[in-house]
Amino acid sequence: MRPALAVFAVAAVAQWLLPLSGIWQHERVISRGTLLRIECAAPDPYDPLRGRYLAVRPAQSTVSQPEGFPRGGDPVSVWATLEVGDAGLARIKSVSLEPVSGPTVMPLTARWTGTTNGTDVISLEWPFDRFYLNERLAPGADKLVAERRRDGKQTVAEVRLLDGRAVLTDILLDGVSVRELVKQGAK
Amino acid sequence: MGAGGNVTADGARTLRERYAAEPQGGLAQLVVGAVGALLIGTGLIAVLAYNWDDFPRWVRIGLALGPLAVTQAVSWWVLGRGETAKPWQREAAAVVQTLAVGAAITLVSQIYNLPGKWTDLVFWWCVVSVPLAWVLRSEAVAIAYLIGIAVWTIAQASERTSYSDAIASGAIGIADVRPWFPLLLAGVLPLWPGLDLRERPAPGSRLVLAASALLGLLAVAAYATVRPAHMFPSFTGFPWLAMLSAAALLLFPLDRGGIAEPLARKPQVLLGGGALVVMALIGTFEGPARDFVMGVGVTASLGWCWLLLAVVVAFAILAFRQGRFAVLAVAGLALVPLLAAPLSADDASGWPVAITYSLVLLATAIALIALEFLGRQGAARIGAALIALLVILRMADADVSLLVKGLAFIVIGSGFLAFNAFVTRRRRVVASGGSPA
């Protein structure tokens, strides 16, 4: 085999490995992961390469700081244990600076943000922040989410969690996928 | 003997082999091939994106990966043809496959709603696509790669401004671009100069290569020097490292053929020298001059600073041995803060350095003019423009009436135009073999 063909073959394999490794990792989480539903907000911004998406911002964006959390505002890795409440929505039960394991443990990034009512508070960055939608559907979805929010109804992010890796699988309004609702509205 | 009777048949064959002519229409075919491939690739992505929500996940994955398989097969076929493959075929195959790789990566990222910055996707896209530029000798893919690595490096440096060293590499995961950018830039070496060390980029590609190198090096300089502060990050050491980066680009070694080429075909000289001159002009003001000198002390502890300095010194020695005195004169502008630093107290005024910068710029301009008149490679018009700029800057901040300033500007402008006409006439005389005198 000529050297050029050998180099091309290696590059071609790498070009397959990159998307396939992502597919394998995330399919594993979707098929075996724990299902969690988390209340969120979801406005509609834009990514230059990937197009329109709903920016998913979980409602629980701050918690009391765990013991020993450094002040100063720099981001720190933490491990949050979630629990499912009465309404079926997951909320953070505890935050640890040391790695912990469990089916509902999610690694997050946190920063010290200040003191509220005498309690030190940290803000959280969740490991999912976008739900991609077709260019045609995204503006409608944005409008729908805003309308439901005005009516006091919850927007819920459906997430699968496995071995600390989270995959956002859907955004639900009244238990129905926002994608389906927008498609129905467009008909 | 050849037809003209001056060259032997063997000599003619040797010349034809060494200086093979580009087939007529080659460039046009190449451009049309690249544009056609670009349209097909982007059109394909748009079609897939439009139908997005009507397909189940596995169909979407198939649609994301299908074009990759097809374009890889086409590239394999083109490669298999070896030297019989036309340049436009190689270019088109490489461009379409590169777009298919990008489509696969971004569409998979969409399907699984992956977080993260789009510039991270650009990094991986570049890394797995650049071999196509090597094996298919594609200038378009190389250009895209150079733009991509510059964008990624700037994004990392930009992110870095907010975090300390430990945080940047830990919770945030910002790459250390000091080793990464040179490594990524070296990714074009298998194409230019190639394994036989004879391949040279086309003029347009040279410009992109030089611009990517300069922007990337400036981003690395920012990354290396930034210190996070409460409200605004501090960049005290940046100007000095930026000057060294520009000097390294300006002095980049060339072979005899490269040195003999006109300035317009050496964008690394234009961009590197231009950046240095702009910074030196800024340094003729008191405040920036003081900051430039302070920056030398700040960067003295940085390994990147010493590495750059070593590269600049090595390139400068080579340039001296090759007689490239004009670029050496301009590169000398980077030395002013270094030489001034040991002589300046921490709280010293910046005026001595600012005045020194004005004088060094004036000397550089005179050197550029003199070198051309002495029959060496110089740049008389650039030298004259530099003197005019210096006078304008000093007149602008001088405490004299608007009338005096106006008259001075008219005199400078007239002098500059007259000098320009003189140099043009002189070059014409020299080119026609006459005496410049």
Side-chain angles (χ1 to χ4, degrees):
Chain A
M1 186 186 274
R2 286 191 291 128
L5 286 174
V7 171
F8 178 80
V10 172
V13 170
Q15 288 168 2
W16 277 96
L17 279 180
L18 197 58
L20 286 180
S21 64
I23 291 169
W24 181 79
Q25 280 176 346
H26 295 98
E27 280 298 327
R28 200 168 148 266
V29 177
I30 290 171
S31 60
R32 298 191 206 166
T34 306
L35 179 68
L36 296 169
R37 293 198 168 96
I38 299 166
E39 190 188 353
C40 66
D44 165 37
Y46 182 75
D47 181 293
L49 280 185
R50 290 169 284 188
R52 285 195 177 280
Y53 62 93
L54 294 178
V56 180
R57 295 175 191 154
Q60 199 173 13
S61 59
T62 58
V63 291
S64 301
Q65 73 161 55
E67 194 69 30
F69 194 92
R71 292 188 171 209
D74 277 338
V76 174
S77 297
V78 294
W79 285 259
T81 304
L82 289 94
E83 67 174 355
V84 180
D86 294 338
L89 295 177
R91 288 186 65 80
I92 292 172
K93 180 180 153 196
S94 63
V95 174
S96 166
L97 279 166
E98 299 299 323
V100 287
S101 58
T104 61
V105 172
M106 194 183 288
L108 308 176
T109 303
R111 302 163 198 257
W112 183 84
T113 48
T115 306
T116 308
N117 300 329
T119 307
D120 284 321
V121 172
I122 56 172
S123 63
L124 303 167
E125 285 173 27
W126 294 71
F128 50 88
D129 60 7
R130 50 191 67 193
F131 182 70
Y132 285 96
L133 280 168
N134 184 293
E135 303 272 327
R136 196 164 35 97
L137 300 181
D142 183 37
K143 199 174 158 195
L144 197 61
V145 170
E147 280 173 6
R148 298 288 172 114
R149 201 167 177 78
R150 266 200 305 276
D151 296 342
K153 292 180 178 167
Q154 287 171 328
T155 306
V156 172
E158 195 175 74
V159 179
R160 289 273 177 182
L161 183 63
L162 181 70
D163 299 335
R165 186 183 293 275
V167 176
L168 177 64
T169 52
D170 211 343
I171 298 290
L172 308 176
L173 295 171
D174 290 337
V176 183
S177 166
V178 68
R179 194 176 266 143
E180 295 307 318
L181 284 174
V182 178
K183 279 183 189 173
Q184 284 169 15
K187 283 176 186 170
Chain B
M1 292 284 172
N6 297 322
V7 183
T8 62
D10 284 347
R13 196 183 317 115
T14 306
L15 284 171
R16 270 196 295 273
E17 282 170 7
R18 181 168 295 179
Y19 303 105
E22 181 77 11
Q24 272 204 333
L27 182 64
Q29 280 185 6
L30 211 66
V31 171
V32 170
V35 171
L38 200 67
L39 286 170
I40 292 170
T42 47
L44 195 65
I45 294 170
V47 167
L48 293 182
Y50 180 79
N51 287 317
W52 207 232
D53 287 289
D54 298 329
F55 301 130
R57 194 162 73 243
W58 283 106
V59 175
R60 284 185 270 159
I61 290 171
L63 286 172
L65 299 179
L68 180 60
V70 173
T71 55
Q72 282 182 342
V74 171
S75 295
W76 182 267
W77 176 75
V78 171
L79 263 180
R81 293 189 64 191
E83 292 305 315
T84 58
K86 293 192 166 47
W88 73 265
Q89 290 175 330
R90 285 191 267 109
E91 198 70 57
V95 169
V96 177
Q97 189 179 335
T98 300
L99 287 167
V101 172
I105 296 171
T106 54
L107 293 182
V108 166
S109 179
Q110 262 190 2
I111 290 167
Y112 294 101
N113 299 305
L114 302 190
K117 299 175 288 288
W118 64 273
T119 46
D120 292 339
L121 294 186
V122 168
F123 172 83
W124 287 110
W125 190 0
C126 284
V127 168
V128 296
S129 299
V130 70
L132 299 178
W134 310 337
V135 295
L136 290 163
R137 298 202 297 280
S138 166
E139 296 243 349
V141 172
I143 286 173
Y145 172 79
L146 288 166
I147 294 170
I149 61 170
V151 165
W152 177 79
T153 307
I154 292 167
Q156 301 305 304
S158 167
E159 284 279 306
R160 173 73 178 76
T161 57
S162 308
Y163 306 106
S164 62
D165 290 338
I167 295 301
S169 59
I172 299 302
I174 298 169
D176 186 344
V177 292
R178 286 169 293 188
W180 271 112
F181 182 69
L183 203 63
L184 289 170
L185 195 59
V188 293
L189 289 178
L191 180 65
W192 306 313
L195 295 177
D196 60 0
L197 305 178
R198 290 177 63 177
E199 296 295 327
R200 298 288 181 272
S205 304
R206 287 183 197 187
L207 179 62
V208 179
L209 178 58
S212 173
L214 181 62
L215 290 173
L217 287 173
L218 292 180
V220 176
Y223 180 98
T225 53
V226 70
R227 291 289 168 271
H230 181 58
M231 287 294 284
F232 301 104
S234 160
F235 285 97
T236 313
F238 175 74
W240 161 238
L241 283 198
M243 282 183 165
L244 283 181
S245 307
L249 186 68
L250 168 68
L251 293 166
F252 189 80
L254 297 173
D255 58 16
R256 283 184 191 284
I259 294 169
E261 282 190 302
L263 193 57
R265 298 192 72 167
K266 291 187 273 197
Q268 81 280 10
V269 173
L270 284 173
L271 293 176
L276 261 179
V277 167
V278 167
M279 297 205 66
L281 286 169
I282 294 170
T284 62
F285 293 91
E286 195 266 338
R290 193 179 54 235
D291 292 344
F292 285 9
V293 175
M294 272 174 61
V296 175
V298 171
T299 54
S301 60
L302 300 177
W304 182 251
C305 173
W306 290 102
L307 181 67
L308 268 181
L309 204 54
V311 168
V312 169
V313 169
F315 285 2
I317 291 169
L318 205 60
F320 182 79
R321 292 177 64 171
Q322 291 178 320
R324 298 174 69 199
F325 299 119
V327 291
L328 277 170
V330 179
L333 294 169
L335 293 178
V336 175
L338 181 67
L339 298 176
L343 306 172
S344 304
D346 286 347
D347 55 349
S349 158
W351 276 120
V353 181
I355 292 166
T356 307
Y357 248 129
S358 293
L359 294 174
V360 173
L361 271 170
L362 185 63
T364 306
I366 292 169
L368 290 178
I369 296 168
L371 281 168
E372 181 159 332
F373 281 84
L374 290 171
R376 311 295 297 253
Q377 264 202 335
R381 279 192 279 224
I382 292 177
L386 201 50
I387 293 174
L389 260 175
L390 263 178
V391 178
I392 289 167
L393 284 180
R394 293 293 73 82
M395 286 300 297
D397 59 11
D399 189 17
V400 292
S401 77
L402 206 57
L403 179 67
V404 175
K405 284 183 181 176
L407 289 172
F409 284 3
I410 291 168
V411 171
I412 296 162
S414 305
F416 182 67
L417 291 177
F419 184 80
N420 198 24
F422 170 68
V423 170
T424 306
R425 196 165 59 106
R426 186 180 176 280
R427 283 183 180 173
R428 206 175 297 138
V429 172
V430 171
S432 66
S435 166

